[in-house]
């Protein structure tokens, strides 16, 4: 286990370095490291290197770091949500969070609301939309003070369709095509808008969620066995499921607010990791964030270089990889979803 963690951490570090250097203006790894060190230590660079330095530090580095955070966060959230609703097909967006965020972003973009927040207005609208969707799903799905897994999934699906209808109405009555492009971005995701200013909040939210979820690993093992078994072992399933719902909704909303809805990462990555380390959630929640971060870094690299100078939505890349992998898992005889 430790060797696998060290291997994945090394692969992630190399992937980050290569992703920062690759692009329209290619920068060798050694030079990339020198620029990064200069930025962190206040070192000097020559005048003719300023443009390349700005590309490396101001454009690519925050983008790659955001990809790492979102990939890790979506993978961990997928593990937790699959245990919470006991559904192997669940992912971080099954609760309608992504549709609510997309509707909030489009509404802010079209109406010009939250202009006091400047360049963060659309992201703030997306986060508020995600919170609204989460609150709606929670209060509708709540029954007898608890959250039924089946009601959560069904309510989330219904909320997703409802918010998609809201987006369609907004786009239909929008005075120009800006709403359509906004919907496309928030539906397929991307890291092109990454800035250093947006990273502290998403980093704090994602890392906090990762630490808490890993600490709940043993309880998730019990929860995945069913409410009756969990209650017999002394686990308060009502309180645990409520806490997981709030935590995963906040984390997913924060990630969608800065990157849009990126599918298949939170769905497929947990299953792939279970094949490697088994179904114990403590192990899965240790490996899945690293694997998801590596995958997202490379998916983003392909998205911005495959048809350069144009950029593909990253959701296209994750779907092209995720669909065949998911189908392969379905056809694998030796694998039972959620149990490895």
């Amino acid at each position: 286990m430790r060797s696998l963690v060290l291997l994945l951490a090394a692969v992630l570090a190399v992937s980050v370095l290569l992703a920062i250097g690759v692009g329209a203006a290619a920068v060798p790894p050694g030079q990339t490291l020198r620029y990064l060190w200069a930025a962190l230590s206040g070192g000097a660079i020559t005048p003719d290197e300023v443009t390349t330095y700005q590309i490396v530090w101001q454009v690519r580095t925050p983008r790659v770091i955001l990809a790492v955070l979102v990939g890790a966060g979506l993978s961990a959230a997928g593990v937790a949500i699959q245990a919470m609703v006991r559904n192997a097909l669940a992912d971080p967006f099954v609760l309608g969070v992504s549709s609510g965020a997309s509707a909030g972003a489009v509404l802010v973009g079209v109406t010009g609301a939250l202009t006091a927040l400047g360049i963060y207005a659309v992201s703030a609208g997306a986060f508020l939309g995600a919170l609204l969707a989460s609150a709606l799903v929670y209060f509708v799905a709540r029954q007898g003070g608890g959250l039924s897994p089946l009601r959560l999934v069904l309510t989330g699906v219904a909320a997703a369709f409802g918010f998609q209808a809201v987006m369609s109405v907004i786009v239909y009555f929008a005075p120009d095509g800006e709403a359509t492009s906004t919907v496309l971005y928030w539906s397929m995701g991307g890291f092109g808008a990454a800035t250093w200013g947006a990273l502290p909040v998403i980093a704090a939210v994602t890392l906090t969620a990762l630490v808490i979820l890993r600490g709940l690993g043993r309880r998730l093992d019990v929860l995945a066995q069913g409410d009756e078994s969990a209650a017999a072992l002394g686990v308060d399933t009502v309180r645990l499921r409520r806490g997981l719902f709030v935590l995963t909704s906040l984390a997913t909303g924060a990630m969608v607010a800065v990157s849009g809805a990126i599918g298949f990462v939170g769905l497929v990555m947990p299953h792939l990791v279970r094949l490697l380390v088994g179904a114990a959630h403590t192990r899965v929640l240790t490996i899945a964030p690293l694997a998801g971060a590596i995958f997202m870094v490379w998916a983003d690299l392909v998205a911005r270089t495959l048809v350069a100078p144009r950029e593909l939505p990253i959701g296209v890349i994750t779907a092209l990889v995720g669909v065949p992998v998911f189908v392969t898992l379905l056809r694998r005889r030796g694998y039972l979803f959620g149990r490895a």
Side-chain angles (χ1 to χ4, degrees), residues 14 21 34 71 83 95 112 119 141 146 211 288 321 323:
V14 173
R34 186 166 64 84
L95 303 179
I119 61 173
V211 172
V321 175
V323 169

Side-chain angles (χ1 to χ4, degrees), residues 1-17 286-287 289-291 293-294:
M1 179 69 175
R2 180 178 298 179
S3 59
L4 180 59
V5 171
L6 293 176
L7 174 62
L8 290 177
V11 172
L12 177 59
V14 173
S15 300
V16 167
L17 181 63
T286 301
I287 301 300
L290 290 170
I294 293 169

Side-chain angles (χ1 to χ4, degrees), residues 1-337:
M1 179 69 175
R2 180 178 298 179
S3 59
L4 180 59
V5 171
L6 293 176
L7 174 62
L8 290 177
V11 172
L12 177 59
V14 173
S15 300
V16 167
L17 181 63
L18 293 177
I20 292 174
V22 174
V27 184
Q31 191 173 354
T32 301
L33 275 175
R34 186 166 64 84
Y35 288 153
L36 294 177
W37 178 249
L40 295 173
S41 64
I45 58 172
T46 61
D48 60 329
E49 294 179 312
V50 171
T51 300
T52 306
Y53 169 82
Q54 293 291 338
I55 292 173
V56 167
W57 181 247
Q58 296 293 344
V59 179
R60 293 182 187 168
T61 301
R63 177 176 183 141
V64 173
I65 293 176
L66 182 60
V68 169
L69 293 171
V70 172
L74 289 179
S75 298
V79 174
I81 290 174
Q82 287 172 8
M84 180 177 69
V85 301
R86 297 203 307 274
N87 190 326
L89 299 179
D91 71 354
F93 305 129
V94 74
L95 303 179
V97 175
S98 63
S99 297
S102 299
V106 173
L107 183 62
V108 169
V110 171
T111 63
L114 304 179
T115 54
L117 297 178
I119 61 173
Y120 302 112
V122 175
S123 294
F127 184 66
L128 292 175
L131 291 183
L132 175 62
S134 300
L136 177 64
V137 170
Y138 176 83
F139 286 111
V140 173
R142 188 176 61 174
Q143 184 179 29
L147 292 173
S148 163
L150 180 59
R151 287 174 66 91
L152 269 176
V153 173
L154 294 178
T155 305
V157 171
F161 279 111
F163 280 108
Q164 288 172 6
V166 171
M167 280 192 295
S168 298
V169 172
I170 295 173
V171 171
Y172 183 80
F173 287 104
D176 53 40
E178 182 180 352
T180 304
S181 61
T182 304
V183 168
L184 179 61
Y185 174 82
W186 290 100
S187 299
M188 302 301 289
F191 302 116
T195 62
W196 282 112
L199 286 182
V201 174
I202 185 63
V205 171
T206 302
L207 295 177
T208 300
L210 292 178
V211 172
I212 294 175
L213 288 176
R214 190 181 185 282
L216 294 173
R218 294 186 182 276
R219 294 186 182 184
L220 291 176
D221 289 337
V222 178
L223 184 64
Q225 296 175 12
D227 287 12
E228 293 183 1
S229 299
L233 293 172
V235 174
D236 187 345
T237 57
V238 174
R239 182 177 180 181
L240 178 57
R241 188 169 282 116
R242 185 186 298 122
L244 287 172
F245 178 86
V246 173
L247 179 62
T248 54
S249 295
L250 287 174
T252 303
M255 287 182 281
V256 173
V258 295
S259 67
I262 302 173
F264 281 97
V265 180
L267 172 63
V268 175
M269 205 56 63
H271 295 304
L272 289 177
V273 173
R274 289 189 189 104
L275 287 175
L276 292 175
V277 300
H281 283 86
T282 300
R283 293 200 300 267
V284 175
L285 285 167
T286 301
I287 301 300
L290 290 170
I294 293 169
F295 173 69
M296 193 66 80
V297 168
W298 285 101
D300 178 57
L301 180 60
V302 172
R304 61 185 169 87
T305 59
L306 185 63
V307 292
R310 300 186 66 183
E311 181 178 321
L312 289 172
I314 195 169
V316 172
I317 306 300
T318 58
L320 288 176
V321 175
V323 169
V325 170
F326 191 72
V327 172
T328 301
L329 286 174
L330 281 173
R331 296 178 60 84
R332 185 183 175 92
R333 291 184 179 180
Y335 179 75
L336 181 62
F337 270 58

